Amino acid sequence: MSGISAYSLEELKRIVRRIEFNKTSPELLLDLISKARSLGSEERRSIKRILYHSKNLSKILLENELIIPISIKQEAIKKLSGIPTWAVDGSNQVIKGLRDEWFVFLSASRVFMPKGMQGKVEFKVGGDIQKIKALDDAMARSKATNLMMLMEIEQIGEAYRDARKLGINDALLIIDGPIIDPPQLSREEYVRQRVKVIKKCLSIGFTFLGFVKRPYGRPFLSFLEKMSFEGISHSKSYISDVTILNPILFLAICKENKSSRVIITRPQEMPILKEPPFSTYQVYKKLGLNIYYCYYKFDLRSGVYRLELASTEEFNDNKLLRIFNGVIPVIYALTPPGMKFPLPILIAHDKCSIRKGAAETLYYEIITRTPVSYTHLRAHETSLHLVCRLLLE
């Protein structure tokens, strides 16, 4: 064991990759290596093109204020980091049971930092196990996500009740993920329930944000396609926002680093597009909730993240920019140096995470306490060896 522990995780992964490479047929490897070299040359040319177009696009977008540098003064960080903040996140794991049954392990957490980064951290976390029926793994996971989101809605409601009880009005509530979540669920009954609790939070002065770690879709690209600036046509060769914004915001930070630490895209209202979640936005709009967004990058090493803002009001372009100019520094102040995400989000995610091994252990506990007849097991031979082993332990 001492020999194994001397290796880092990355070193172990590299060893495994080398072992798997060496176990591959030599004839197959020769063919694949030849293809890899050819693709490598093509990729180098592609990267050069991307860099060239990104430099031009970065310049055009900066000049036309479609990406905007924000200066954050050090003296403001301490004040902003003390804002009362709630964060909410959920987690789920799905384990296949017998027949067409699946066991869903659910959790949702609520983190409260009364004085932001300057005080204590309080948290509540709740869990549940539900048995569902589904035709396949994809359907089971979709149902599990829907159940998890209902638990998240409950935690958002609890944050609202906490604030009312404590007499706190001017506060921040961040959910881990997009405001329109899950993306594919446009059923009005569910959306109505979600919008209702968000509106309650807004009614007492909450700033309600969605922090999207892995942005998907192309809302910003769809916005760029409406622009007619010279040279912006190259944006049509990209298929997602993150693909175009990663190099552009990186280059913009390199240029603006002396005067700014943060680069954001010009805030926009969420568009209604064909693909979810943007197609679902029309249901939220119908129920009176407007959603605005911007992408941001804090420094050269950070990723590109999307920040979403919920409001019952409609904002013009200038008002929207002023709002995000106030919100982005708060997110910056809540993100400790060297970390990717705001601390409340990190804590909420950690407290609710259900590891797969934990879910499997709980599933084994369920199975070993279930009386199973031999006839019943014969009807489900795929699970026979597992159940027999568990019953004998």
Side-chain angles (χ1 to χ4, degrees), residues 217-328:
R218 54 194 312 277
F220 185 72
L221 275 170
S222 70
F223 165 70
L224 286 186
E225 286 169 2
K226 299 173 185 176
M227 302 292 104
S228 57
F229 302 124
E230 185 179 350
I232 212 168
S233 59
H234 293 299
S235 64
K236 294 179 181 179
S237 61
Y238 296 88
I239 61 172
S240 74
D241 286 352
V242 174
T243 308
I244 187 173
L245 288 172
N246 258 321
I248 285 175
L249 297 188
F250 179 90
L251 292 166
I253 287 180
C254 288
K255 182 178 180 180
E256 300 290 332
N257 198 38
K258 292 180 180 178
S259 59
S260 173
R261 290 192 172 192
V262 182
I263 298 287
I264 70 169
T265 62
R266 177 169 283 278
Q268 301 289 328
E269 183 177 1
M270 192 71 73
I272 297 174
L273 304 174
K274 290 182 180 179
E275 69 273 8
F278 313 105
S279 56
T280 308
Y281 179 42
Q282 59 189 337
V283 185
Y284 285 75
K285 283 279 287 182
K286 176 184 173 183
L287 295 172
L289 192 71
N290 301 308
I291 301 172
Y292 305 92
Y293 78 94
C294 81
Y295 290 91
Y296 76 83
K297 186 176 176 69
F298 276 169
D299 54 43
L300 295 175
R301 292 186 176 184
S302 75
V304 174
Y305 308 112
R306 189 167 73 226
L307 194 65
E308 300 178 357
L309 171 78
S311 178
T312 53
E313 299 180 51
E314 293 187 0
F315 303 119
N316 61 32
D317 189 61
N318 291 332
K319 178 69 179 294
L320 192 57
L321 182 57
R322 286 199 300 273
I323 291 171
F324 274 87
N325 274 342
V327 169
I328 288 291

Side-chain angles (χ1 to χ4, degrees), residues 51-249:
L51 282 173
Y52 174 76
H53 293 316
S54 295
K55 285 180 181 178
N56 291 336
L57 279 171
S58 183
K59 182 181 178 182
I60 292 167
L61 297 181
L62 277 170
E63 287 174 351
N64 291 279
E65 296 186 336
L66 298 181
I67 56 175
I68 302 166
I70 295 180
S71 296
I72 301 176
K73 297 178 180 179
Q74 286 295 324
E75 56 267 25
I77 292 177
K78 185 174 181 180
K79 180 181 178 182
L80 295 172
S81 66
I83 293 175
T85 302
W86 275 267
V88 171
D89 192 16
S91 177
N92 72 83
Q93 287 286 352
V94 181
I95 305 292
K96 179 73 170 70
L98 300 174
R99 301 186 299 274
D100 296 322
E101 295 173 344
W102 306 72
F103 288 87
V104 181
F105 300 82
L106 302 156
S107 72
S109 62
R110 177 175 85 259
V111 170
F112 176 42
M113 301 168 70
K115 296 183 179 179
M117 301 281 283
Q118 301 172 23
K120 62 181 180 178
V121 177
E122 302 172 7
F123 68 89
K124 298 287 185 181
V125 62
D128 192 13
I129 304 173
Q130 294 199 28
K131 188 166 69 173
I132 62 172
K133 289 186 177 292
L135 292 174
D136 54 27
D137 183 69
M139 181 183 289
R141 293 189 182 283
S142 177
K143 287 186 175 183
T145 300
N146 296 347
L147 291 170
M148 179 189 73
M149 296 314 304
L150 290 173
M151 288 189 71
E152 280 196 16
I153 289 173
E154 289 178 10
Q155 291 291 354
I156 294 170
E158 289 299 324
Y160 163 77
R161 285 184 278 276
D162 288 346
R164 289 292 301 271
K165 191 183 299 182
L166 296 168
I168 296 174
N169 294 324
D170 187 13
L172 188 69
L173 194 155
I174 318 172
I175 60 172
D176 188 351
I179 293 172
I180 302 173
D181 205 10
Q184 75 282 1
L185 190 57
S186 59
R187 183 162 48 85
E188 190 165 319
E189 181 185 349
Y190 164 79
V191 177
R192 189 180 298 278
Q193 190 175 350
R194 189 168 174 83
V195 168
K196 182 179 179 181
V197 74
I198 292 174
K199 281 185 172 180
K200 280 185 175 181
C201 293
L202 296 175
S203 71
I204 59 171
F206 270 40
T207 299
F208 195 100
L209 303 174
F211 182 83
V212 188
K213 299 173 184 173
R214 293 179 292 275
Y216 43 78
R218 54 194 312 277
F220 185 72
L221 275 170
S222 70
F223 165 70
L224 286 186
E225 286 169 2
K226 299 173 185 176
M227 302 292 104
S228 57
F229 302 124
E230 185 179 350
I232 212 168
S233 59
H234 293 299
S235 64
K236 294 179 181 179
S237 61
Y238 296 88
I239 61 172
S240 74
D241 286 352
V242 174
T243 308
I244 187 173
L245 288 172
N246 258 321
I248 285 175
L249 297 188

Side-chain angles (χ1 to χ4, degrees), residues 301-372:
R301 292 186 176 184
S302 75
V304 174
Y305 308 112
R306 189 167 73 226
L307 194 65
E308 300 178 357
L309 171 78
S311 178
T312 53
E313 299 180 51
E314 293 187 0
F315 303 119
N316 61 32
D317 189 61
N318 291 332
K319 178 69 179 294
L320 192 57
L321 182 57
R322 286 199 300 273
I323 291 171
F324 274 87
N325 274 342
V327 169
I328 288 291
V330 178
I331 296 298
Y332 181 87
L334 291 172
T335 306
M339 291 191 178
K340 297 179 180 179
F341 315 129
L343 186 60
I345 287 291
L346 285 169
I347 297 172
H349 179 79
D350 179 70
K351 293 302 179 185
C352 75
S353 289
I354 303 174
R355 274 70 180 181
K356 189 170 181 62
E360 288 173 344
T361 301
L362 290 167
Y363 172 67
Y364 295 157
E365 177 69 15
I366 294 167
I367 291 298
T368 55
R369 293 176 182 272
T370 304
V372 185

